[in-house]
Amino acid sequence: MDNLKYFQRYHGKENTHSSNALSLLQMLYDYSPKKFYETLCNIIEQQGELENVAPHFVVQDTGNGKGSIPDFSIMQHSFKIVVEAKEGAFNIDQLERHLKGLSGKDEFTYKVLIALSPQNDVQSHLNKLIEKYPKIYIVHKTYIDFYDIIKGNMHEIKDSSFIEILDEYREYCEMEQLIDYSENTLMVRLTTNTFDFNFQNGVYYDSNKYTPLGFRYLGLYKEKSIRAIGKIVKIVEAHVDDFGKIVYGDLVYGKPLTDADRHKVEFAIEDRKNNFHNETDPHWHFIVERFVEVVNFRKKKYGMYGKKKFYLKEDFGIKDIAHCTIEEIAAAMKDYDKWE
C-alpha cells in the first residue's frame, strides 16, 4: 500500500490502540453494515439474540397492536458497546467502573463490554464481573481474535479492498507487539525474472515501504503458483549511496551479519540494478536458510495481487510449528487446492 497508512503510529500508546480499533470498526461499517453487525455477533458470541441490533425490515407489520397495518416498517433495537483496549494487564476496578456506568443506561436494550488485549489468559479474571453484571455482555478478545473474526467474514476476492485495510491493521498490531503470529505465518511475494536469483542465492529483496515483520516464512510466487518457500533468518535494510558504496540500515531481525550475508546482499543489489536499474532506494533484504521447492501449489483463478499470507496451522494443518522443518512445510503444501 505504499506509504499510505490507515492507522496512526504515533503514541498516546493505549489510546492509540483504542483509536485504531475504533477506526477499523468504523471503516468496516462504512464498507458493509451487514458485515459490521455479523462481526459484532461473532465478537460477542451471540448469534441469536444480539442479531436484533441490526435493522429489521418488516412488510405489513402488525406489532403496534392497534389494528392498523402499515405497508412496511424498519425497526432497530438500541445498543451500547464499550471497549477497553490494553497492551498489558487490565485494571479490574477500571472495568467495573465501566460496567457500573453501563448498568445505569436503561435506554439501551443491549449493553456490551469488550476487553481487548494481547494476552489470552484474562477470561478467568472477568468471571466475577460476569456474575455481578448478568445483564451486560462481557467478553475478552485478543487482538488476533479481533482480526480473525473480521477476516472470517470476508471473501478473499470480493472483499480484497477491505482485506488490504484489515491486513494493514494487523501489521500495526504486529509492530506494536500486540500480535506475534510470525512463527505461524507464511508471506507470499511476487517474483518474475528474479525467481531463479532468489532461489539460488537464498535472498529476497523488497521495498522498505512495506513492513518486514510479522512472518517467519517467505514464499516465492511465479506464474500463478507458489514455487518455493524459505525460513527467514535475517532481515536487513541496504542500498547504494551517491558514491557507489553499500550502506546498511536497520537489522530488524536475526543475529549480526556475517561476511556470507553481506555477499548475499551485494548480489541482491547487483541483481536489482540489472533488472530494475534501481539500487539507490533502500530495500529490505530477507536472508533465508535456503529455499525449498513447493510442488503444485496453484492459484485457481486470476493471478495474485501484491502479497498473500497463509498460516501453517490453519491452512496446512501443521501442529508443531515450533519444531517443523522447511521440508515438512513444503510437503504439507504439496497439491494444495483451496486457493481460489
Side-chain angles (χ1 to χ4, degrees):
M1 291 184 295
D2 297 331
N3 287 325
L4 174 63
K5 297 296 181 186
Y6 292 97
F7 304 99
Q8 58 176 316
R9 261 68 172 172
Y10 53 85
H11 285 266
K13 271 295 184 183
E14 288 175 347
N15 288 339
T16 306
H17 306 331
S18 302
S19 297
N20 285 340
L22 174 62
S23 294
L24 181 61
L25 289 175
Q26 287 176 319
M27 286 186 279
L28 176 61
Y29 182 83
D30 290 340
Y31 174 73
S32 170
K34 181 176 184 292
K35 291 183 183 295
F36 172 82
Y37 289 115
E38 288 173 348
T39 295
L40 290 187
C41 290
N42 290 330
I43 289 175
I44 313 303
E45 300 176 359
Q46 293 290 333
Q47 284 301 113
E49 185 180 2
L50 202 61
E51 287 182 348
N52 291 325
V53 301
H56 284 248
F57 300 81
V58 182
V59 176
Q60 293 188 334
D61 178 24
T62 59
N64 60 14
K66 295 183 179 180
S68 63
I69 301 177
D71 290 333
F72 68 87
S73 300
I74 303 172
M75 300 174 291
Q76 184 174 15
H77 288 285
S78 61
F79 66 97
K80 182 172 184 177
I81 298 175
V82 172
V83 178
E84 182 64 33
K86 292 292 186 185
E87 60 182 25
F90 285 102
N91 182 322
I92 300 301
D93 290 338
Q94 182 187 34
L95 292 180
E96 183 154 20
R97 289 195 296 272
H98 293 329
L99 291 166
K100 286 179 179 178
L102 268 177
S103 63
K105 301 290 184 180
D106 295 333
E107 66 270 30
F108 296 107
T109 307
Y110 299 102
K111 292 173 276 191
V112 180
L113 172 68
I114 301 173
L116 191 63
S117 75
Q119 291 79 18
N120 204 19
D121 56 352
V122 175
Q123 192 63 44
S124 60
H125 299 292
L126 300 181
N127 287 339
K128 290 183 179 179
L129 296 177
I130 292 172
E131 293 175 4
K132 191 171 181 179
Y133 298 91
K135 294 183 179 181
I136 300 176
Y137 294 98
I138 305 172
V139 295
H140 169 258
K141 296 297 176 187
T142 64
Y143 289 91
I144 190 63
D145 291 334
F146 188 55
Y147 168 89
D148 283 341
I149 288 169
I150 300 175
K151 185 74 174 284
N153 285 327
M154 297 292 157
H155 186 280
E156 180 180 344
I157 303 299
K158 296 177 182 178
D159 299 314
S160 59
S161 61
F162 193 83
I163 289 174
E164 184 178 2
I165 295 172
L166 184 59
D167 283 346
E168 204 261 294
Y169 174 76
R170 178 172 177 149
E171 289 173 3
Y172 162 79
C173 290
E174 289 169 345
M175 289 180 65
E176 294 298 320
Q177 299 182 326
L178 303 174
I179 294 175
D180 185 5
Y181 220 43
S182 53
E183 291 291 342
N184 189 41
T185 303
L186 165 69
M187 173 68 81
V188 181
R189 303 307 291 263
L190 298 169
T191 64
T192 51
N193 52 338
T194 67
F195 175 82
D196 291 339
F197 169 84
N198 300 140
F199 188 88
Q200 292 167 10
N201 291 280
V203 59
Y204 178 84
Y205 54 85
D206 194 11
S207 170
N208 73 342
K209 294 177 181 178
Y210 304 100
T211 178
L213 301 175
F215 51 95
R216 191 67 67 241
Y217 298 92
L218 184 65
L220 303 181
Y221 173 95
K222 181 182 180 181
E223 296 173 352
K224 295 189 69 174
S225 296
I226 299 176
R227 300 300 183 92
I229 59 169
K231 185 172 185 179
I232 298 167
V233 292
K234 296 176 185 179
I235 306 172
V236 65
E237 188 183 62
H239 70 282
V240 172
D241 66 14
D242 293 338
F243 302 98
K245 179 181 178 181
I246 294 178
V247 178
Y248 287 90
D250 293 334
L251 176 69
V252 297
Y253 177 73
K255 297 179 180 180
L257 298 180
T258 64
D259 288 341
D261 297 329
R262 293 178 184 275
H263 286 314
K264 288 187 176 185
V265 173
E266 290 171 10
F267 294 153
I269 290 176
E270 185 66 23
D271 187 76
R272 181 153 58 98
K273 178 180 178 181
N274 293 335
N275 281 293
F276 305 105
H277 308 290
N278 176 7
E279 70 274 22
T280 57
D281 289 343
H283 273 53
W284 297 116
H285 294 77
F286 299 85
I287 299 171
V288 304
E289 292 176 343
R290 61 192 175 283
F291 281 113
V292 173
E293 184 181 3
V294 176
V295 178
N296 195 30
F297 195 114
R298 293 188 58 80
K299 195 174 188 304
K300 293 182 179 180
K301 300 177 182 178
Y302 317 109
M304 186 183 79
Y305 173 75
K307 57 186 177 180
K308 168 69 177 175
K309 286 183 180 179
F310 289 93
Y311 303 103
L312 306 191
K313 288 183 179 179
E314 294 85 342
D315 293 312
F316 310 136
I318 297 174
K319 297 180 180 179
D320 190 4
I321 60 174
H323 301 99
C324 63
T325 66
I326 195 69
E327 287 80 8
E328 289 170 338
I329 298 171
M333 294 173 65
K334 181 181 178 181
D335 298 326
Y336 188 85
D337 63 354
K338 299 177 183 179
W339 192 11
E340 295 292 332

